Amino acid sequence: MITNMKHFTSITAMISLAILSACDASDMPIQPADSYDYITFAVQSQKILTRTNPYEAYDPQRHPATMGVFGYQDLNYSAPIFLNETATYDASTQSWPTETPKRWADYPNTSSFNFFAYMPYSAEATLTPTLNGALTIAFPFAMENATSPVIFDTKAAPIICAQPVNKERIGTENANRVINLKFDQTLTGYSLSFRLDAKMNAIRHFRIHSVLLSGTLATSCTIARSYTWNNSTNSWTASAIKWNDVNRATFVDTPIPYKGYNSEAYDDSTKTAIVTSADYTQWGADFYTIPDADFQPVITVNYDVELLAKDGTTVVTRKDVTSNIVLNKGNFSSLATGKTAMINPIRILIQPRYLYVLADQDAYTGHLLID
């Protein structure tokens, strides 16, 4: 009896395997992802410093964490799909579901969809038609730290869609249901670097302790961009980004914090940077500001002048020296305060006053003249 039961079990298993084998992949129903029926988004952000393949995949370590979305069916502004809806990044699916889920099937009679977006989310953002038929996104931005006119964390830097996405009616045959958005940078970046004149470096080097910014500088604004639909090409065009209603405040000695770059020029224990004639030494991290023609801070540098003695010891010959230079076109002829997606390399050459002669290649280089 036990033998028969084993035989019966074996036959049952063989039948089950045969049934499974008969159902190859082409016969089995396709199970779409859980988000297949919902309107969701994917994001790429404009790179900084390069125009080759200018957009990169979203990175939660470098880009804003929330997004505001506007969406319309057949550009019917009276019945929006999304009206400044919040979308949040889902790392598991690498997509952006909206706080209020919407299904494609909810809009069966729609011939086209149009989506606009920006980051990070603001409850005060608007999308309004203009007299010339364009649509304008506008949203407020303010520095995350009210005591500073600059930011260092790119996650706090606002971005805005390069172009709206126009999508034709979604049917069951259309598997590409994710809205792929590309975003452009809206802030201007800077880096500060220092170098000694070769003759000054013959017997000494400078050790920077701090770099400070002072001046009347932008703290908040409204970021805006307009988009126009072209019927002949069935596509959107985007205007230049604008920064309206700029508010400014007076700052005194706002620090650019020390940052080490794993080289001999940086002393992490004392948080100082050594400046020689070998190359430019960057002080602090890249920082970002609201593009503003009035961004002309005074850069204050505090440093020691050090002499390398014959026995190899370092002797401080001048301590706590403070020097200033104004960041403007007079000192930096190619300064660009309104360009986005780039870092303006502010290079400061430290020279004795009697050696200084202006050269054509001085573009981004200012001269800190030492008596």
Side-chain angles (χ1 to χ4, degrees), residues 147-169:
T147 63
S148 174
V150 302
I151 63 173
F152 300 92
D153 186 357
T154 55
K155 294 193 297 295
I159 53 181
I160 194 168
C161 62
Q163 289 184 340
V165 171
N166 173 263
K167 207 168 186 65
E168 297 302 316
R169 183 180 65 83

Side-chain angles (χ1 to χ4, degrees), residues 256-279:
I256 303 298
Y258 167 85
K259 179 182 177 180
Y261 287 92
N262 298 318
S263 76
E264 294 180 355
Y266 300 94
D267 187 339
D268 291 341
S269 62
T270 60
K271 297 188 182 304
T272 57
I274 296 174
V275 179
T276 69
S277 65
D279 201 354

Side-chain angles (χ1 to χ4, degrees), residues 8-274:
F8 177 76
T9 302
S10 177
I11 291 173
T12 303
M14 290 175 65
I15 292 173
S16 299
L17 287 171
I19 293 173
L20 288 173
S21 299
C23 298
D24 63 23
S26 61
D27 295 327
M28 296 182 70
I30 296 174
Q31 180 64 40
D34 291 340
S35 61
Y36 181 78
D37 290 333
Y38 293 96
I39 301 176
T40 58
F41 300 85
V43 165
Q44 287 183 300
S45 178
Q46 187 179 22
K47 294 179 182 178
I48 297 175
L49 298 176
T50 179
R51 295 296 178 183
T52 305
N53 299 321
Y55 295 93
E56 60 185 352
Y58 174 81
D59 183 347
Q61 299 303 314
R62 295 186 293 114
H63 301 134
T66 59
M67 176 168 63
V69 177
F70 296 87
Y72 300 94
Q73 49 179 321
D74 298 325
L75 289 180
N76 180 0
Y77 307 125
S78 63
I81 301 171
F82 297 119
L83 186 61
N84 197 26
E85 181 74 19
T86 304
T88 307
Y89 182 64
D90 184 338
S92 64
T93 61
Q94 296 184 348
S95 66
W96 292 75
T98 53
E99 185 173 8
T100 305
K102 298 290 180 72
R103 297 175 181 268
W104 289 112
D106 295 337
Y107 308 94
N109 299 318
T110 300
S111 59
S112 68
F113 300 85
N114 291 275
F115 299 94
F116 308 73
Y118 66 94
M119 294 185 187
Y121 174 81
S122 168
E124 300 175 51
T126 59
L127 190 147
T128 55
T130 59
L131 293 177
N132 62 358
L135 290 171
T136 300
I137 288 182
F139 62 100
F141 168 72
M143 292 295 172
E144 58 182 344
N145 183 348
T147 63
S148 174
V150 302
I151 63 173
F152 300 92
D153 186 357
T154 55
K155 294 193 297 295
I159 53 181
I160 194 168
C161 62
Q163 289 184 340
V165 171
N166 173 263
K167 207 168 186 65
E168 297 302 316
R169 183 180 65 83
I170 298 295
T172 56
E173 73 287 349
N174 189 342
N176 185 19
R177 295 176 165 224
V178 176
I179 308 302
N180 294 296
L181 291 164
K182 291 182 178 178
F183 288 83
D184 286 345
Q185 304 289 339
T186 67
L187 300 186
T188 294
Y190 297 90
S191 65
L192 289 176
S193 298
F194 298 84
R195 182 177 182 175
L196 282 187
D197 176 87
K199 292 187 178 180
M200 292 197 75
N201 188 225
I203 58 173
R204 76 199 84 181
H205 60 253
F206 283 27
R207 182 183 294 273
I208 294 180
H209 290 275
S210 67
V211 176
L212 309 171
L213 299 181
S214 301
T216 301
L217 310 172
T219 57
S220 64
C221 67
T222 298
I223 298 170
R225 190 177 218 176
S226 297
Y227 306 92
T228 304
W229 176 255
N230 188 321
N231 286 319
S232 61
T233 61
N234 287 326
S235 63
W236 290 96
T237 57
S239 73
I241 299 169
K242 295 182 179 180
W243 301 270
N244 302 322
D245 306 319
V246 176
N247 294 305
R248 302 177 182 89
T250 300
F251 295 88
V252 178
D253 296 342
T254 297
I256 303 298
Y258 167 85
K259 179 182 177 180
Y261 287 92
N262 298 318
S263 76
E264 294 180 355
Y266 300 94
D267 187 339
D268 291 341
S269 62
T270 60
K271 297 188 182 304
T272 57
I274 296 174

Side-chain angles (χ1 to χ4, degrees), residues 194-197 199-210 264-266 272-277 279 281 283 301-308 314-323 348-352 368-371:
F194 298 84
R195 182 177 182 175
L196 282 187
D197 176 87
K199 292 187 178 180
M200 292 197 75
N201 188 225
I203 58 173
R204 76 199 84 181
H205 60 253
F206 283 27
R207 182 183 294 273
I208 294 180
H209 290 275
S210 67
E264 294 180 355
Y266 300 94
T272 57
I274 296 174
V275 179
T276 69
S277 65
D279 201 354
T281 299
W283 175 268
V301 188
N302 178 266
Y303 57 90
D304 296 339
V305 181
E306 298 182 344
L307 175 70
L308 187 63
T314 298
V315 179
V316 178
T317 60
R318 296 180 68 187
K319 188 173 181 61
D320 287 331
V321 181
T322 298
S323 297
I348 298 175
L349 183 62
I350 302 174
Q351 293 182 300
L368 204 60
L369 305 180
I370 309 300
D371 291 319

